[in-house]
Amino acid sequence: MQSEPWQISTEVEVTIPFHDVDMMAVAWHGHYFRYIELARCALLDLIDYNYPQMEASGYFWPIIDTRMKYLAPLRFGQRVRVRATLTEYQNRLKIDYLLSDTASGTRTSKGYSIQVAVSKASGEMCLASPQVLLDKLGVSQ
């Protein structure tokens, strides 16, 4: 079975740095969003529609919703694989994330982010994804 052209995912690896952890050597929960941002940008690079290309095409794509479920703590020096998967594109951009320990494969957390297109010219939110995104994904409206 062949997947749709827009069903894409990518992974990045992150080593949890000392400056991200508390006195118990556990990464502060807010830093997880920095880790998923690295994966999100890698995913957007795959379709040549990262933040500079978004703005150049006449749209901003603010994040309007995000969620993270913490399954196991991330610790100083731990290597973590962050997988980003595009799961929705028609009316919004939804990206799912899965964080796993690189050595064992153990899942440590999962979440998602949702972005919507906002016209740079008018400042109005678009009710459907603009054609430029559909073109980048290889889908037709």
Side-chain angles (χ1 to χ4, degrees):
M1 183 173 151
Q2 189 172 357
S3 64
E4 296 293 329
W6 64 269
Q7 293 176 328
I8 58 169
S9 62
T10 194
E11 295 178 349
V12 298
E13 285 195 10
V14 176
T15 300
I16 305 305
F18 178 74
H19 58 81
D20 281 2
V21 301
D22 60 20
M23 30 189 309
M24 297 175 289
V26 172
W28 176 63
H29 68 277
H31 291 308
Y32 287 57
F33 293 98
R34 183 174 353 156
Y35 311 146
I36 67 172
E37 179 69 19
L38 295 170
R40 178 175 40 250
C41 285
L43 181 75
L44 295 173
D45 281 340
L46 283 178
I47 61 170
D48 191 33
Y49 199 57
N50 209 331
Y51 296 111
Q53 292 88 359
M54 289 174 173
E55 184 177 0
S57 72
Y59 298 95
F60 295 117
W61 286 81
I63 292 176
I64 61 164
D65 190 11
T66 189
R67 176 176 167 79
M68 184 63 61
K69 183 173 183 176
Y70 305 94
L71 307 171
L74 297 178
R75 299 188 178 277
F76 169 63
Q78 183 177 10
R79 293 280 304 156
V80 179
R81 181 176 296 115
V82 185
R83 183 170 187 80
T85 304
L86 178 64
T87 55
E88 293 180 32
Y89 70 88
Q90 289 140 333
N91 300 316
R92 60 189 190 169
L93 200 57
K94 183 178 181 198
I95 301 172
D96 288 344
Y97 306 96
L98 178 63
L99 287 75
S100 305
D101 179 78
T102 301
S104 68
T106 303
R107 293 177 178 194
T108 61
S109 37
K110 61 183 181 177
Y112 64 81
S113 63
I114 296 174
Q115 298 170 256
V116 294
V118 173
S119 168
K120 187 176 171 181
S122 69
E124 292 183 21
M125 185 175 80
C126 303
L127 299 177
S129 293
Q131 187 62 46
V132 63
L133 175 64
L134 304 179
D135 292 345
K136 296 288 187 176
L137 294 174
V139 296
S140 57
Q141 187 85 312

